[in-house]
Amino acid sequence: MAGVPREQWTSKRGFVLAAIGSAVGLGNMWRFSYLAAENGGAAFVFLYLLATLVVGLPVLLAELVLGRGSQKSPIQALAHYGGQRWKPLGLLFVVTGLLILSYYAVIAGWAVRYGLAAITSGFDPDAAAHFAEVASGADAFAFHVVFMALTIFVVVGGVSRGIERTSMVLMPLLFALVVGLALYAATLSGASAGYAYYLAPDFSKLLSLNVLKDATGQAFFSLSLGMGALLTFASYLGRDVNLPRAAGIIAGADIAIAFIAGLVVFPLIFALDLSADVGASTVGALFITLPKAFAEMGGVGRGIGILFFAALIVGALTSAISLLEVVVSSAIDNFGWSRRRAGILLGIAITALGAPSAWNTDILGAVDQIANNILLLGGGLALSIFVGWVMAGPIEEVSAGTSGASWFGSWRNLLRYAVPLFLSFVLIYDAIPSTFETILALF
Ligand code: PFF
């Protein structure tokens, strides 16, 4: 709205924690461990690290540069540097945000339900049957609504008073919880078998295109890349912030938490000999094996389970906030809506959009694949080309707030050549065909 100054973070630290909050979420705990289990453990972890550093990091920096440079949400940011014809790409980012949040909040709803149940009645030993009962249907929808309400509440609070404040409190808490859980897991008798599975690579899987696609998709999802979330967060920043440093810290924290989450999950699974259950990996893997482990561990398990689900909920909330913020800030910038109106109306729309995922976990899995394999990877490809070729002065913008560096030119070359080539390859040879297979399998 004309005349109203753009909201700003109150501190650099607040921005960095909010961005880490966006990155660290269900992706690090739920998605990372189920993909690692499905794809040969350490082979996947290795490729994921590689994809994060070589492809993820340059795109992350590109998003920060675009957001901070334009001081606008995605649609307007693209129009600012590329003209009207780039607006549809911004719109696609907003749609991606709507779509991801619609099922992300369903999974977060499962976590809320398990967390509450752990406090009141403990974990059901027949974990698979329990999951089948609660993961879909009216129950799942009800918890999805609860989680969405929380997300809407924070976003309506605003950038500094809602998002920043929440992240300043919750991110240190999340870190402490995950590290504490990993230390506990190290004391379990099966820990070393878990570590071995997690960290000793099955080299035959390294050459698989499918693992490469999953690792790249995971790098994008986990870093919140390819749909303008970090772009939007960076649009509330001043030119005194060192963006390359911020990008390094955000990626480093995201990798660290994903890695430590693996140090929690795999020892637990192996301590209770549940590795066969994980082999048959589905979206429910974490919500079946871990509660089963917690149930078998008795009283201690219940306590550990409560802490585990608390961490999951905290991570999910700070990520969901950033997903909703992309949509809300776009409505504010494009329609002149108030934050309150945008948050509530669009939040309700997203809640409704999540109904199919809440009713059917196969639909949820398919939407997750479409969002990741096609929309985020495709969005990353487009962003890379945009900042590499279309945007004027990316090097000046990335330099602002730094003392300059000779590698900024190489960064732009990565965005121009290597990243688009690599992403096109992954999209054409695996991501697009395998996603179509998944969709066809639904019918
Ligand atoms: N990075 C989040 C996670 O790992 O759970 C998910 C996510 C958030 C993806 C925000 C995309 C996004 F824009």
Side-chain angles (χ1 to χ4, degrees), residues 21-30 97 100 104 218 220-230 254 315-316 318-320 322-323 326 376:
S22 170
V24 175
L26 294 174
N28 300 58
M29 292 175 257
W30 156 77
I100 294 185
Y104 197 84
Q218 174 63 11
F220 270 69
F221 184 82
S222 189
L223 283 173
S224 304
L225 295 181
M227 52 153 284
L230 296 176
D254 188 51
T318 51
S319 298
S322 71
L323 287 160
V326 171
L376 292 186

Side-chain angles (χ1 to χ4, degrees), residues 185-197 265-273:
T187 67
L188 295 170
S189 61
S192 47
Y195 295 147
Y197 180 77
V265 172
F266 290 99
L268 274 170
I269 291 172
F270 279 81
L272 291 136
D273 215 15

Side-chain angles (χ1 to χ4, degrees), residues 94-435:
V94 176
V95 171
T96 306
L98 285 160
L99 208 61
I100 294 185
L101 184 52
S102 78
Y103 74 86
Y104 197 84
V106 172
I107 303 167
W110 299 344
V112 173
R113 178 186 189 115
Y114 274 88
L116 287 177
I119 294 173
T120 55
S121 56
F123 292 99
D124 191 331
D126 194 353
H130 182 67
F131 180 78
E133 212 171 281
V134 303
S136 51
D139 281 33
F141 189 72
F143 282 94
H144 163 64
V145 171
V146 170
F147 184 81
M148 278 303 300
L150 245 124
T151 307
I152 295 168
F153 177 78
V154 176
V155 169
V156 166
V159 174
S160 62
R161 283 188 316 131
I163 303 175
E164 183 172 355
R165 238 201 246 162
T166 308
S167 311
M168 295 282 274
V169 177
L170 291 184
M171 292 320 290
L173 173 71
L174 173 64
F175 192 73
L177 279 171
V178 177
V179 170
L181 285 165
L183 291 176
Y184 169 76
T187 67
L188 295 170
S189 61
S192 47
Y195 295 147
Y197 180 77
Y198 179 36
L199 301 171
D202 173 354
F203 284 106
S204 65
K205 297 237 175 166
L206 271 184
L207 295 174
S208 144
L209 203 55
N210 188 49
V211 182
L212 185 66
K213 179 262 295 170
D214 277 348
T216 311
Q218 174 63 11
F220 270 69
F221 184 82
S222 189
L223 283 173
S224 304
L225 295 181
M227 52 153 284
L230 296 176
L231 183 167
T232 306
F233 273 12
S235 75
Y236 308 121
L237 277 180
R239 287 178 66 86
D240 56 333
V241 175
N242 184 326
L243 296 182
R245 184 192 293 156
I249 296 174
I250 296 164
D254 188 51
I255 292 173
I257 303 238
F259 185 75
I260 301 172
L263 296 179
V264 177
V265 172
F266 290 99
L268 274 170
I269 291 172
F270 279 81
L272 291 136
D273 215 15
L274 298 174
S275 47
D277 299 36
V278 192
S281 229
T282 62
V283 290
L286 190 74
F287 290 86
I288 297 174
T289 38
L290 289 189
K292 193 163 166 183
F294 297 141
E296 284 182 28
M297 287 157 64
V300 183
R302 189 161 166 189
I304 296 294
I306 292 171
L307 296 179
F308 180 82
F309 282 104
L312 207 56
I313 295 164
V314 165
L317 181 64
T318 51
S319 298
I321 290 168
S322 71
L323 287 160
L324 184 57
E325 179 62 18
V326 171
V327 181
V328 165
S329 74
S330 300
I332 297 173
D333 286 353
N334 289 284
F335 305 146
W337 285 10
S338 72
R339 172 169 285 278
R340 196 182 159 77
R341 177 189 169 115
I344 294 174
L345 287 183
L346 294 166
I348 291 174
I350 293 169
T351 309
L353 190 65
S357 295
W359 253 274
N360 183 335
T361 50
D362 288 340
I363 295 184
L364 188 156
V367 181
D368 177 56
Q369 286 213 23
I370 296 169
N372 268 278
N373 297 347
I374 297 185
L375 296 173
L376 292 186
L377 292 181
L381 171 65
L383 268 165
S384 178
I385 291 172
F386 187 84
V387 174
W389 294 97
V390 179
M391 178 182 176
I395 307 271
E396 288 71 38
E397 185 56 42
V398 78
S399 307
T402 74
S403 44
S406 48
W407 58 264
F408 291 161
S410 320
W411 163 68
R412 189 170 65 166
N413 282 332
L414 271 179
L415 293 177
R416 287 190 153 180
Y417 307 104
V419 173
L421 263 174
F422 176 77
L423 287 178
S424 308
F425 175 80
V426 171
L427 273 162
I428 293 170
Y429 286 101
D430 197 297
I432 296 176
S434 68
T435 305

